[in-house]
Amino acid sequence: MPHSEPGSEVAEDKMDIQPEADVEGSPTANGDTHGTAEEDTPMADAAQSQPEVRDHDKKDVKLEELFDDMDSDEEFPSSKEAADQTPQSSSPDELPSSIGGADLKASDPEVMRSFYQRLFPWRYLFQWLNHSPTPTNDFGHREFAFTLSNDAYLRYQSFPTADLLKKDVLRLMPSRFEIGPVYNTNPRDRKTLRNSTAFKPLSKELCFDIDLTDYDDIRTCCDKANICNKCWQFMTMAIKVIDAALREDFGFKHIMWVYSGRRGAHAWVCDKKARAMDDQKRRAIAGYLEVIRGGAQSGKKVNLRRPLHPHITRSLDILKTHFQKDVLEVQDPWQTMERQDKLLQLLPDKQLNERLRTKWNSAPGRGSLSKWADIDALAKTGASKSLDAKALLEAKQDIVLEYTYPRLDIEVSKKLNHLLKSPFVVHPGTGRVCVPIDTKSLENFDPLAVPTVQSLLQEIDAWKASEEPDSSASRVQDWEKTGLKPYVEQFRSFVIGLMKDERDVKVKRERDDESMDF
Amino acid sequence: MIRQEFGRPEAKRARAVDHRKKQHAAPTYQDNTYPYRLNFYTTPPTADITLEQFEQWAIDRLRVLAELEACAFRNKSPAETAAHMKPLLDKYLPIEANSSSSTQKTEQRRKDHYSHFILRLAFASTEDLRRRFARVETALFRMRMASDDKSEREAFVESLGLDWERVTDKERKMLRDELAATSAATFGAKIAPEEETWCKVDWERVPELVEQRKVYLRAGKAYVPSREQQSMVITEFTNHLDKALEMTARALPRLDEDDRLTPILNHLSKNFITPDAGYASSGAPEGAEISARNIDNLSVHFPACMSNLHKSLRRDAHLKHYGRLQYTLFLKGIGLSLDECLVFWRTSFHKVTDDTFNKEYRYNVRHVYGDVGGDANRRGGGYSPFSCQKILTEHPPGPGEAHGCPYRHFNLENLTTLLQSMGVSDRSVLQGVKEDKEKQKFHLACNRVFEYVHQKEIKRAKDEGVMTAAQLETIVHPNEYFKRSYILKNLDKKKEQAPSDVKMEAS
């Protein structure tokens, strides 16, 4: 073999892979897999997304691997036909009666196997990506990428049906898998094309990635990969603002928010129009939504034109109360002396700043809420002769935005061929399932209460014990016995809504076609 | 999405001639008339021109386009570009308005029309060329449109027949506040939204306006004031040209052509070189010890962007992804070998374990050097070091990131601190940098600092004729900054070693 490299070495003999149970929580693959950022190691920093690198980094696939895949795809499709109908209800008796989840790590192969086998909503995932109950290219030409438990990263996997995907997942036991775009050819056949430019991504959901590590300079409760319910409020605000803009301004309807398993959330905008957008349009949306700009050294990060764009005005309306409560009261970002300087730097009037500094220095430990009120109070007393009330108001608006407006990992949204972690996979570090977030009761979403894979498996066991005599028990699918139920149901209704719209469009187009004269 | 069919001759379908027969039918062309100064280039030229005209016109247009591209690389503002381009345009590609009394109008427009299509043939062959051609042609179109008479522009836009939906009076009143907010912020004018015509289009048609939040959006529709049609027209122009180029590319292999045109076309496309082709000559300046442990010493020769990255790295023992990318490429450009580079990063990231380093960072460094990755990456030896243009325009740094250009991405205070740490304390220089920054002349600011830091050496180099003026022109690449700085600071060493070869390799 002329070149050998991390990914393909593994691919060569992937049948033999023994997932290692001791991979501490966090497989980050070979650097180039970082695109989706969030779910990396605790020590890795979040913003190492490297879409650029990845784009250039089409992994070679070895010849034997190509055939390997073909075999696994096509050799036994019929034997699985029946299971396709009810993948989740594969009789529980065949499995170990107790999985004993609690004392095992989430990345333990037995735990993962049981999860993928019994709980993962394969059928809805399929329908979600396929937009129709019968297999189409929307699913068949879709790229999946697996991160194996030894950190190898397999790109360009594709599957004609959900069942074959499930089979391969169970065989390879990836610690997570990602979803990429639909290509114009089957990704597995890309090497057979005459030239490499003929292999093109056609469509993908518009995605957003928000990560709490990007809030490290303004959150005081946690940092790095840690989160609590206090700083999760930043995420709540972010979701509200982005969701409103996508729905009201851009007219998108099918938006799913997913908890990313540790410290962030992803959005999947699944409208047909959104999926078909090219990079330029994705960039346009990203730019429209991006307000906080600048790096560590750029000082004031929000600099907006006046009058404010209606989108900003609306966002400010949404964020105002959060700013008072979740930022000023709870985070108390300017409590200490050095932190209060950060606030003063953002205010325009030097004289006023001096007065404020004197006042605050004489009362150490004064809370941010009072400090924020002091600004207007002192301004009113005429602390500064040259005070420009309008500039002050605008600076205050900018500050509110700097401390509340969503901080997007914007690269994820700009590129059609960016990969993003699939919903419902397990975060290997926390064991939490990447569940959809219900935007209707967004405020009630508690990331720390999201079920872990271990707790779910225990729930299955517990359920069996208590309700086995019930004759209808065999009809109940495993996920229905657990805390995953509301999330799967939510996902299901989302998918049904999406498929319905998609069907309507198709019917309409067929009608249009008939009327055309060829 | 739009009525993109304006590029497709509707008549073709209506005539319903069997295409096999049509091939042999005598062409029935309409003579081209040029009622407007601007041209969407929808119909190809049909009249005969001489071979000399063919070549000369194409070369003239190419001159203009190449210069336009150079302006873009130098980050010139639209106004500056227009001023810069005016003499060239007048010379090579004049095009006058209907109102002008010139008798050359038709001839000028014909040349514009023909030369566009000739270059289209020359630049359709590869995707890269197509993209660049479309970009500069769009820039040219945009510039001409901006300089167009208002009435003529309106007539031209009208003639395109783009289907734009007017916003009704009722809706306009209802959305008064929102429309006023976008209109005033964007156009600075005090025109009340009622007094203006607005049209409503799918937002996808005006991505530029959406990206900059210059229009009000509602339910997927963008509300565009009539004054801002320009952006929409330009988007249409680009879309149309992209498609047309694609079609040309597909038709090229079947071009039934004798040997007269092909050589000319090939020659044309070869001469369309990028001024920003990157830092071609890699490798260390002679006599420099480029090694991992010497980077600290060498960092005095670094431009502010790299100096900042180096300091951040030393301070945090870490850099985020784009910082690593920008810095690794620069180090590669100054001649640091892959092995040394790996050593450099490993020792710099002293807070992480070997395991983490190997897993998360090693691969990237190797990838940048073209040591791993796809075929194309390996063959190409990895990426080229970033130019100023790229650093200034792509991937602005986000929270906690140290890459980018300090002259652009730092606020003044932090920039001043950084410059002082680089030994720039002269007030007039700092003031100059401040003004450059305000005018968005980031190159000038950087070159100003360079000249200040190296003032003695530059003088000496000039006096002694070691470096010609051409070798001391504006720096537009961080690696050039390093190289020049190193050579200047080591003039003595140079002379001793090889006084004669400096000129050759300093370019």
Side-chain angles (χ1 to χ4, degrees):
Chain A
M1 267 315 127
H3 8 263
S4 75
E5 42 184 282
S8 48
E9 274 159 30
V10 179
E12 212 164 356
D13 50 6
K14 55 185 169 181
M15 297 299 282
D16 302 324
I17 286 168
Q18 284 302 319
E20 293 160 76
D22 60 352
V23 177
E24 173 39 76
S26 47
T28 30
N30 337 315
D32 61 333
T33 71
H34 276 286
T36 51
E38 185 331 273
E39 51 283 332
D40 300 335
T41 44
M43 55 258 189
D45 68 53
Q48 292 169 359
S49 51
Q50 314 183 342
E52 281 252 326
V53 177
R54 188 216 302 259
D55 289 341
H56 297 275
D57 187 25
K58 312 229 156 101
K59 287 224 150 52
D60 288 2
V61 171
K62 309 216 161 183
L63 199 57
E64 53 267 49
E65 189 212 347
L66 264 169
F67 294 112
D68 198 11
D69 292 334
M70 274 184 193
D71 287 348
S72 60
D73 279 1
E74 275 141 31
E75 204 168 350
F76 321 98
S78 56
S79 63
K80 277 285 191 176
E81 214 67 15
D84 194 23
Q85 303 306 314
T86 52
Q88 281 83 13
S89 65
S90 53
S91 63
D93 298 329
E94 289 171 18
L95 293 161
S97 58
S98 170
I99 305 132
D103 42 336
L104 288 172
K105 277 188 185 134
S107 50
D108 183 277
E110 267 324 297
V111 173
M112 289 312 294
R113 188 184 306 280
S114 307
F115 175 77
Y116 286 135
Q117 183 98 47
R118 306 177 66 172
L119 288 166
F120 195 93
W122 295 106
R123 178 142 64 116
Y124 303 128
L125 182 88
F126 168 77
Q127 293 178 344
W128 170 49
L129 297 174
N130 191 56
H131 317 111
S132 142
T134 45
T136 65
N137 283 347
D138 277 7
F139 190 83
H141 290 181
R142 172 80 75 158
E143 176 184 358
F144 290 87
F146 295 164
T147 305
L148 303 186
S149 47
N150 62 356
D151 285 358
Y153 191 60
L154 294 180
R155 280 197 65 181
Y156 301 118
Q157 309 295 303
S158 65
F159 306 91
T161 65
D163 220 48
L164 292 166
L165 168 65
K166 178 182 176 183
K167 205 176 114 201
D168 232 27
V169 166
L170 286 172
R171 182 171 64 89
L172 294 167
M173 297 295 286
S175 53
R176 67 171 198 221
F177 62 89
E178 294 173 345
I179 297 174
V182 179
Y183 284 91
N184 56 350
T185 347
N186 189 331
R188 291 188 192 268
D189 298 338
R190 71 192 183 288
K191 296 269 163 168
T192 63
L193 292 174
R194 215 159 8 96
N195 51 16
S196 54
T197 47
F199 181 62
K200 275 195 213 118
L202 294 179
S203 73
K204 200 199 68 178
E205 290 74 9
L206 170 68
C207 295
F208 293 93
D209 182 5
I210 313 173
D211 195 320
L212 276 177
T213 43
D214 287 330
Y215 289 76
D216 276 359
D217 61 331
I218 55 170
R219 57 176 181 161
T220 55
C221 51
C222 310
D223 67 346
K224 305 271 165 60
N226 305 309
I227 64 159
C228 65
N229 274 312
K230 287 182 191 164
C231 49
W232 184 258
Q233 290 314 309
F234 285 118
M235 206 53 81
T236 307
M237 303 173 214
I239 293 175
K240 277 188 191 170
V241 167
I242 301 295
D243 200 70
L246 291 172
R247 285 178 201 278
E248 293 170 20
D249 298 354
F250 291 97
F252 295 131
K253 289 196 197 81
H254 301 284
I255 305 169
M256 175 168 65
W257 288 90
V258 181
Y259 174 52
S260 68
R262 190 193 286 272
R263 60 189 172 195
H266 300 157
W268 296 81
V269 186
C270 308
D271 296 60
K272 197 175 184 72
K273 246 180 140 181
R275 298 201 310 268
M277 290 191 300
D278 57 21
D279 282 354
Q280 192 203 14
K281 298 195 185 92
R282 283 167 206 261
R283 239 185 357 255
I285 296 191
Y288 181 83
L289 294 174
E290 198 180 27
V291 166
I292 296 180
R293 295 190 170 132
Q297 302 290 323
S298 52
K300 198 157 174 277
K301 291 194 182 65
V302 177
N303 297 293
L304 293 167
R305 282 190 308 262
R306 311 288 155 163
L308 292 173
H309 185 274
H311 160 63
I312 308 289
T313 314
R314 177 194 49 219
S315 304
L316 263 178
D317 274 346
I318 298 173
L319 295 167
K320 250 186 327 211
T321 49
H322 284 287
F323 180 71
Q324 289 287 334
K325 192 169 135 276
D326 298 317
V327 176
L328 292 184
E329 263 179 60
V330 176
Q331 295 287 340
D332 202 358
W334 308 304
Q335 205 248 350
T336 62
M337 299 270 255
E338 64 209 67
R339 280 170 171 278
Q340 80 188 21
D341 278 348
K342 261 170 112 181
L343 170 59
L344 290 173
Q345 273 167 19
L346 299 174
L347 292 172
D349 193 277
K350 287 218 172 83
Q351 263 179 302
L352 180 66
N353 284 359
E354 276 320 302
R355 293 282 301 273
L356 285 169
R357 198 189 306 273
T358 332
K359 184 178 167 90
W360 295 343
N361 286 350
S362 65
R366 193 170 168 81
S368 301
L369 202 56
S370 319
K371 282 179 177 162
W372 183 249
D374 288 342
I375 300 172
D376 277 347
L378 270 182
K380 273 207 193 89
T381 62
S384 161
K385 275 167 248 142
S386 58
L387 183 74
D388 178 351
K390 192 159 159 277
L392 183 66
L393 176 72
E394 287 176 1
K396 283 183 66 181
Q397 285 175 335
D398 287 351
I399 293 169
V400 173
L401 289 171
E402 182 157 343
Y403 279 82
T404 51
Y405 192 88
R407 301 179 167 209
L408 300 167
D409 180 356
I410 211 67
E411 295 307 318
V412 178
S413 317
K414 282 180 181 168
K415 287 253 165 69
L416 175 60
N417 59 356
H418 212 287
L419 293 113
L420 194 65
K421 190 164 62 162
S422 163
F424 287 101
V425 307
V426 174
H427 188 289
T430 60
R432 295 208 180 90
V433 181
C434 301
V435 293
I437 300 171
D438 186 0
T439 41
K440 286 193 201 80
S441 59
L442 187 58
E443 313 270 352
N444 300 327
F445 184 83
D446 176 1
L448 303 173
V450 166
T452 64
V453 60
Q454 297 97 325
S455 74
L456 289 171
L457 294 176
Q458 276 182 318
E459 277 176 313
I460 299 182
D461 293 343
W463 189 90
K464 264 164 59 183
S466 60
E467 293 179 47
E468 206 145 25
D470 191 342
S471 58
S472 67
S474 57
R475 315 284 313 161
V476 179
Q477 307 201 344
D478 276 339
W479 55 265
E480 292 183 274
K481 305 169 186 169
T482 68
L484 205 58
K485 188 178 176 201
Y487 301 110
V488 176
E489 282 172 349
Q490 193 196 328
F491 186 47
R492 181 175 58 190
S493 56
F494 176 82
V495 172
I496 289 172
L498 178 66
M499 282 204 295
K500 187 172 169 297
D501 265 17
E502 210 82 11
R503 202 173 53 230
D504 290 349
V505 171
K506 252 180 218 151
V507 170
K508 199 163 158 255
R509 198 189 308 137
E510 269 158 27
R511 225 180 285 135
D512 286 353
D513 283 354
E514 278 162 25
S515 68
M516 270 170 92
D517 199 9
F518 282 105
Chain B
M1 176 179 95
I2 47 166
R3 276 191 40 210
Q4 68 239 64
E5 286 79 13
F6 61 73
R8 195 161 70 192
E10 289 288 331
K12 215 183 251 176
R13 214 193 282 168
R15 240 183 306 156
V17 179
D18 185 338
H19 66 274
R20 277 163 302 188
K21 284 182 200 154
K22 219 181 74 189
Q23 201 175 351
H24 304 291
T28 48
Y29 293 126
Q30 206 186 340
D31 268 346
N32 277 301
T33 53
Y34 304 102
Y36 306 105
R37 179 170 170 259
L38 295 170
N39 193 337
F40 244 55
Y41 310 112
T42 45
T43 34
T46 47
D48 292 336
I49 57 172
T50 68
L51 205 55
E52 285 72 41
Q53 279 173 325
F54 184 90
E55 188 165 13
Q56 192 52 48
W57 288 0
I59 289 173
D60 284 353
R61 189 182 193 89
L62 193 56
R63 282 215 177 101
V64 169
L65 295 184
E67 196 57 31
L68 253 181
E69 193 176 44
C71 286
F73 282 128
R74 288 188 210 121
N75 246 17
K76 285 199 193 275
S77 69
E80 285 169 334
T81 309
H84 180 83
M85 292 301 297
K86 184 148 190 323
L88 271 162
L89 281 171
D90 287 346
K91 185 161 176 207
Y92 295 114
L93 207 56
I95 194 151
E96 279 169 83
N98 282 347
S99 54
S100 114
S101 55
S102 168
T103 52
Q104 299 287 311
K105 269 183 294 191
T106 306
E107 200 43 42
Q108 288 170 353
R109 288 171 194 186
R110 201 159 85 101
K111 179 177 173 188
D112 175 58
H113 184 211
Y114 280 63
S115 60
H116 170 88
F117 273 94
I118 298 167
L119 290 191
R120 213 188 256 190
L121 281 179
F123 293 125
S125 54
T126 72
E127 186 166 348
D128 190 41
L129 281 172
R130 285 200 292 273
R131 210 173 24 220
R132 278 178 59 206
F133 180 65
R135 202 170 52 208
V136 284
E137 276 289 339
T138 308
L140 179 65
F141 183 82
R142 177 184 285 129
M143 203 170 71
R144 284 178 171 173
M145 191 164 174
S147 66
D148 220 357
D149 294 344
K150 187 164 173 279
S151 57
E152 197 174 339
R153 179 165 63 212
E154 272 167 15
F156 171 71
V157 171
E158 198 66 36
S159 77
L160 295 174
L162 308 169
D163 51 344
W164 293 339
E165 188 188 338
R166 282 277 182 88
V167 178
T168 61
D169 291 350
K170 204 176 135 203
E171 194 174 8
R172 213 162 55 193
K173 278 195 192 101
M174 204 175 76
L175 299 172
R176 192 180 185 285
D177 292 344
E178 285 83 357
L179 295 181
T182 49
S183 151
T186 313
F187 314 107
K190 303 275 185 288
I191 306 177
E194 294 93 325
E195 290 163 21
E196 199 166 2
T197 40
W198 293 74
C199 43
K200 196 156 87 168
V201 296
D202 283 341
W203 74 265
E204 285 99 334
R205 288 180 57 183
V206 285
E208 287 179 25
L209 296 178
V210 170
E211 187 167 359
Q212 299 159 36
R213 283 194 297 270
K214 283 187 169 181
V215 284
Y216 173 58
L217 281 187
R218 202 164 97 119
K221 296 281 184 189
Y223 290 71
V224 188
S226 51
R227 278 174 296 160
E228 195 55 12
Q229 288 165 344
Q230 202 177 334
S231 163
M232 292 200 286
V233 176
I234 288 167
T235 314
E236 296 288 338
F237 180 85
T238 316
N239 289 344
H240 169 72
L241 183 56
D242 283 344
K243 277 197 199 95
L245 281 168
E246 192 85 20
M247 297 302 287
T248 313
R250 265 184 246 167
L252 267 186
R254 271 166 287 162
L255 186 68
D256 186 17
E257 212 277 298
D258 52 42
D259 302 336
R260 294 179 306 163
L261 299 189
T262 316
I264 298 180
L265 293 175
N266 286 342
H267 185 68
L268 286 171
S269 63
K270 270 198 206 100
N271 280 329
F272 193 34
I273 45 140
T274 333
D276 190 56
Y279 185 73
S281 60
S282 77
E286 202 164 307
E289 187 206 338
I290 310 279
S291 65
R293 63 191 168 83
N294 203 26
I295 296 289
D296 278 321
N297 298 330
L298 292 173
S299 70
V300 296
H301 301 296
F302 289 3
C305 48
M306 302 304 166
S307 187
N308 176 49
L309 281 170
H310 189 74
K311 284 184 188 123
S312 305
L313 175 63
R314 287 289 177 248
R315 187 187 61 228
D316 306 335
H318 189 260
L319 281 180
K320 292 208 174 195
H321 170 69
Y322 283 115
R324 295 200 302 273
L325 189 61
Q326 182 176 325
Y327 197 31
T328 311
L329 284 170
F330 171 78
L331 294 176
K332 175 180 155 189
I334 71 172
L336 193 69
S337 68
L338 172 60
D339 289 338
E340 282 293 319
C341 197
L342 284 169
V343 171
F344 172 74
W345 283 110
R346 180 65 205 99
T347 48
S348 305
F349 277 33
H350 54 79
K351 284 185 195 155
V352 305
T353 61
D354 274 340
D355 195 38
T356 315
F357 182 82
N358 288 339
K359 260 188 201 162
E360 294 184 22
Y361 306 113
R362 195 181 172 81
Y363 187 87
N364 277 155
V365 177
R366 292 178 59 204
H367 194 271
V368 160
Y369 273 79
D371 192 45
V372 285
D375 264 0
N377 188 48
R378 290 147 164 276
R379 265 201 308 273
Y383 311 151
S384 326
F386 288 167
S387 64
C388 293
Q389 163 71 7
K390 200 167 165 78
I391 293 173
L392 280 166
T393 50
E394 286 179 22
H395 300 300
E401 292 185 311
H403 67 274
C405 171
Y407 298 102
R408 173 169 211 163
H409 298 119
F410 278 28
N411 66 7
L412 196 62
E413 247 167 73
N414 291 334
L415 178 60
T416 311
T417 317
L418 176 72
L419 290 179
Q420 279 162 349
S421 76
M422 289 169 68
V424 182
S425 47
D426 188 288
R427 282 209 134 178
S428 64
V429 175
L430 290 174
Q431 182 62 26
V433 167
K434 181 177 171 231
E435 281 161 16
D436 292 339
K437 183 175 164 60
E438 276 159 9
K439 285 190 224 138
Q440 304 222 317
K441 309 270 187 213
F442 310 112
H443 286 115
L444 281 190
C446 189
N447 280 283
R448 187 186 296 276
V449 168
F450 182 86
E451 277 162 28
Y452 173 75
V453 177
H454 302 87
Q455 50 189 342
K456 269 185 256 143
E457 292 83 1
I458 290 177
K459 189 166 178 299
R460 200 178 132 196
K462 270 190 194 150
D463 290 348
E464 297 177 13
V466 180
M467 286 168 110
T468 62
Q471 286 166 353
L472 288 166
E473 69 178 4
T474 318
I475 296 171
V476 290
H477 200 295
N479 286 89
E480 182 59 32
Y481 186 108
F482 169 78
K483 193 165 188 177
R484 209 177 287 177
S485 170
Y486 187 86
I487 290 173
L488 283 172
K489 291 281 182 192
N490 292 284
L491 280 176
D492 290 327
K493 237 191 264 172
K494 276 270 148 190
K495 279 188 109 175
E496 286 156 28
Q497 283 173 355
S500 59
D501 69 357
V502 175
K503 263 185 209 165
M504 281 160 58
E505 68 136 12
S507 53

